[in-house]
C-alpha cells in the first residue's frame, strides 16, 4: 500500500510543478504585470518602482524560482515580508494572497462538502431504492426524475430557486455563517446552494447506483447467497452493495474536480464570497497573483482528494495497487 501511495503523491507533486510553471510563464510572460498592478493613473516611475518592489526586473526563470521558494520559505518584498506559504500580494487589494484565500476557503469548503454529502445521500439512497423495487412505480418515478434533473444547469436552476424561495419571502437570502458560531444559521444559509449545486450530481448518482446495484444482484455470488437462504436485505447490503461501490468511488474521484467548478458557479449565483467568486473577480481585474494562487491551491486540493479516492479504491479492490 505504501509504494502505491508514494507513486500517487510523487505524481501529484510533478503535476503541481508543471501546472505552476505553465500558469506562471503564461501569466507573467504575456504582457507587463507591472502595468496591471499599477492601475489607470500610472506613470513610468510608478511602473519602474513596481518592477523593483515585486522583483519583476529579474529574468523570468529567476522570478519563477523566487515564487516557488516563497511558497515554502516565505519571501521579502519591498512592501513587506510575506510569510510561507507565500503566493505574493494581490494587485487589486494589496493584501496577502494566501490570507485572502484562507478567508474565502471556509465558504467554498462548506459548499463543496455539504453539496457532496447531499448528492451522495440523496442520489445513492434513491438509486438503491429504485434497484430494490425494480420495475415498480417507485423505480419508474425515480428513474424519470433523474433523467429530467440531469439536464438542468446550475445557472438556470439557481435563479429559479431564488425567485421561488427567496424573492417571495419564504426563505432568507443564502449567506455563509461560521459553523462554530451558529450551526443553525450555517445550515439554513447554505441549504439552497447545496440543493441547487447537488441536483445534477444527484441525478447522475441515482442512475449509476441503480444500474450498478442491478448488475451486482445478477452476479453469481449474490445469487448463491440467496440460494443458501440468506435474508434478501442482508444479501442486498452485504454482497451487492459492496460490489457496486467500486464504480461509484471511481466516478466520485472525477466528480470532485467538477465539484469545484460547480461551487464556483453556485457562489456567483448566490453571491457567496468563496474561492470561486474570488477567482472570477480576479480574472476580470487581471489580478495575476490572486489568479495564480487560486489555481495552484485548487489544483493541490483536487489532487489530494484524488489520492484519497485512489487509496479508498485500492482498499476496496487490492488489484488496483498492482496496476
Amino acid at each position: 500500500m505504501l509504494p502505491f501511495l508514494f507513486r500517487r503523491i510523487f505524481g501529484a507533486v510533478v503535476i503541481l510543478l508543471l501546472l505552476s510553471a505553465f500558469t506562471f510563464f503564461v501569466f507573467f510572460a504575456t504582457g507587463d504585470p507591472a502595468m496591471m498592478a499599477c492601475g489607470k493613473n500610472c506613470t513610468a516611475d510608478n511602473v519602474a518602482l513596481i518592477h523593483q518592489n515585486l522583483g519583476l526586473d529579474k529574468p523570468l526563470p529567476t522570478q519563477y524560482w523566487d515564487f516557488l521558494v516563497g511558497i515554502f520559505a516565505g519571501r521579502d518584498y519591498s512592501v513587506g515580508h510575506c510569510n510561507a506559504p507565500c503566493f505574493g500580494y494581490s494587485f487589486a487589494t494589496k493584501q496577502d494572497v494566501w490570507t485572502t484565500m484562507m478567508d474565502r476557503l471556509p465558504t467554498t469548503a462548506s459548499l463543496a462538502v455539504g453539496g457532496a454529502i447531499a448528492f451522495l445521500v440523496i442520489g445513492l439512497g434513491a438509486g438503491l431504492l429504485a434497484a430494490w423495487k425494480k420495475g415498480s412505480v417507485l423505480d419508474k418515478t425515480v428513474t424519470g426524475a433523474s433523467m429530467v434533473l440531469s439536464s438542468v444547469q446550475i445557472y438556470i436552476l439557481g435563479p429559479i430557486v431564488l425567485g421561488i424561495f427567496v424573492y417571495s419571502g419564504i426563505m432568507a437570502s443564502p449567506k455563509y455563517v461560521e459553523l462554530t458560531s451558529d450551526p443553525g444559521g450555517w445550515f439554513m444559509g447554505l441549504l439552497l446552494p447545496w440543493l441547487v449545486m447537488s441536483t445534477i450530481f444527484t441525478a447522475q448518482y441515482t442512475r449509476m447506483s441503480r444500474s450498478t446495484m442491478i448488475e451486482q444482484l445478477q452476479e453469481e455470488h449474490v445469487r448463491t447467497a440467496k440460494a443458501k437462504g440468506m435474508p434478501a436485505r442482508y444479501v442486498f447490503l452485504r454482497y451487492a452493495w459492496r460490489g457496486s461501490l467500486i464504480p461509484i468511488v471511481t466516478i466520485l474521484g472525477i466528480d470532485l474536480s467538477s465539484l469545484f467548478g460547480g461551487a464556483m458557479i453556485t457562489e456567483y449565483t448566490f453571491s457567496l464570497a468563496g474561492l470561486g467568486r474570488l477567482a472570477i473577480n480576479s480574472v476580470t481585474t487581471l489580478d495575476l497573483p490572486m489568479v495564480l494562487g487560486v489555481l495552484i491551491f485548487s489544483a493541490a486540493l483536487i489532487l489530494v482528494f484524488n489520492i484519497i479516492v485512489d487509496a479508498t479504491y485500492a482498499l476496496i479492490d487490492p488489484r488496483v495497487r498492482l496496476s
Side-chain angles (χ1 to χ4, degrees), residues 28 32-35 37 50-59 63 75 91:
F28 286 84
D32 187 357
M35 293 295 293
I50 292 172
H51 273 118
Q52 182 181 359
N53 290 342
L54 300 182
L56 299 175
D57 51 351
K58 299 177 182 177
Q63 293 182 44
R75 186 177 172 188
F91 286 171

Side-chain angles (χ1 to χ4, degrees), residues 124-134 136 138-139 142 210 236:
L124 297 186
L128 291 181
L129 278 177
W132 178 260
K133 300 291 184 183
K134 181 185 174 186
S136 67
L138 175 65
D139 178 26
V142 169
R210 176 187 179 277
F236 189 85

Side-chain angles (χ1 to χ4, degrees), residues 50-159:
I50 292 172
H51 273 118
Q52 182 181 359
N53 290 342
L54 300 182
L56 299 175
D57 51 351
K58 299 177 182 177
L60 202 57
T62 305
Q63 293 182 44
Y64 175 64
W65 175 253
D66 290 343
F67 175 76
L68 284 183
V69 171
I71 294 176
F72 298 101
R75 186 177 172 188
D76 286 323
Y77 290 94
S78 297
V79 293
H81 179 72
C82 180
N83 294 320
C86 172
F87 288 90
Y89 287 95
S90 164
F91 286 171
T93 64
K94 313 301 181 189
Q95 300 295 315
D96 182 1
V97 169
W98 177 257
T99 303
T100 305
M101 288 195 300
M102 290 304 100
D103 289 340
R104 302 294 189 97
L105 181 60
T107 303
T108 302
S110 297
L111 197 57
V113 172
I117 292 174
F119 74 66
L120 283 175
V121 171
I122 300 173
L124 297 186
L128 291 181
L129 278 177
W132 178 260
K133 300 291 184 183
K134 181 185 174 186
S136 67
V137 175
L138 175 65
D139 178 26
K140 294 175 181 175
T141 303
V142 169
T143 303
S146 65
M147 292 291 290
V148 173
L149 292 176
S150 63
S151 61
V152 176
Q153 298 298 319
I154 294 174
Y155 53 83
I156 295 175
L157 184 60

Side-chain angles (χ1 to χ4, degrees), residues 29-316:
T30 55
D32 187 357
M35 293 295 293
M36 301 174 193
C38 194
K40 294 181 180 177
N41 301 319
C42 190
T43 64
D45 291 340
N46 289 338
V47 172
L49 183 61
I50 292 172
H51 273 118
Q52 182 181 359
N53 290 342
L54 300 182
L56 299 175
D57 51 351
K58 299 177 182 177
L60 202 57
T62 305
Q63 293 182 44
Y64 175 64
W65 175 253
D66 290 343
F67 175 76
L68 284 183
V69 171
I71 294 176
F72 298 101
R75 186 177 172 188
D76 286 323
Y77 290 94
S78 297
V79 293
H81 179 72
C82 180
N83 294 320
C86 172
F87 288 90
Y89 287 95
S90 164
F91 286 171
T93 64
K94 313 301 181 189
Q95 300 295 315
D96 182 1
V97 169
W98 177 257
T99 303
T100 305
M101 288 195 300
M102 290 304 100
D103 289 340
R104 302 294 189 97
L105 181 60
T107 303
T108 302
S110 297
L111 197 57
V113 172
I117 292 174
F119 74 66
L120 283 175
V121 171
I122 300 173
L124 297 186
L128 291 181
L129 278 177
W132 178 260
K133 300 291 184 183
K134 181 185 174 186
S136 67
V137 175
L138 175 65
D139 178 26
K140 294 175 181 175
T141 303
V142 169
T143 303
S146 65
M147 292 291 290
V148 173
L149 292 176
S150 63
S151 61
V152 176
Q153 298 298 319
I154 294 174
Y155 53 83
I156 295 175
L157 184 60
I160 294 174
V161 169
L162 282 173
I164 295 175
F165 292 99
V166 178
Y167 299 148
S168 63
I170 297 176
M171 294 182 67
S173 181
K175 62 179 180 180
Y176 173 74
V177 179
E178 288 187 7
L179 174 63
T180 53
S181 63
D182 184 5
W186 173 80
F187 180 82
M188 292 305 298
L190 295 176
L191 181 58
L192 288 181
W194 282 337
L195 294 178
V196 169
M197 190 177 73
S198 64
T199 297
I200 300 173
F201 295 101
T202 299
Q204 175 187 344
Y205 279 78
T206 298
R207 296 202 313 274
M208 184 169 58
S209 60
R210 176 187 179 277
S211 61
T212 55
M213 180 58 82
I214 289 175
E215 288 177 6
Q216 286 297 316
L217 290 172
Q218 304 303 318
E219 292 289 334
E220 187 174 348
H221 69 283
V222 176
R223 287 188 281 117
T224 302
K226 287 181 180 177
K228 287 184 176 179
M230 292 184 181
R233 184 174 300 177
Y234 179 81
V235 173
F236 189 85
L237 297 176
R238 175 67 178 83
Y239 294 100
W241 168 237
R242 181 171 181 176
S244 68
L245 278 180
I246 293 177
I248 292 173
V249 171
T250 305
I251 298 298
L252 178 62
I254 300 171
D255 284 343
L256 287 175
S257 306
S258 306
L259 199 61
F260 273 94
M264 185 180 297
I265 300 172
T266 307
E267 287 171 11
Y268 199 79
T269 302
F270 291 96
S271 300
L272 297 172
L275 283 176
R277 197 175 179 197
L278 176 65
I280 293 174
N281 292 339
S282 301
V283 168
T284 56
T285 58
L286 296 177
D287 192 352
L288 299 187
M290 192 64 76
V291 176
L292 189 59
V294 172
L295 277 176
I296 295 176
F297 182 67
S298 301
L301 283 180
I302 291 170
L303 289 172
V304 169
F305 287 146
N306 280 331
I307 290 173
I308 294 173
V309 170
D310 285 346
T312 306
Y313 195 11
L315 286 174
I316 296 174

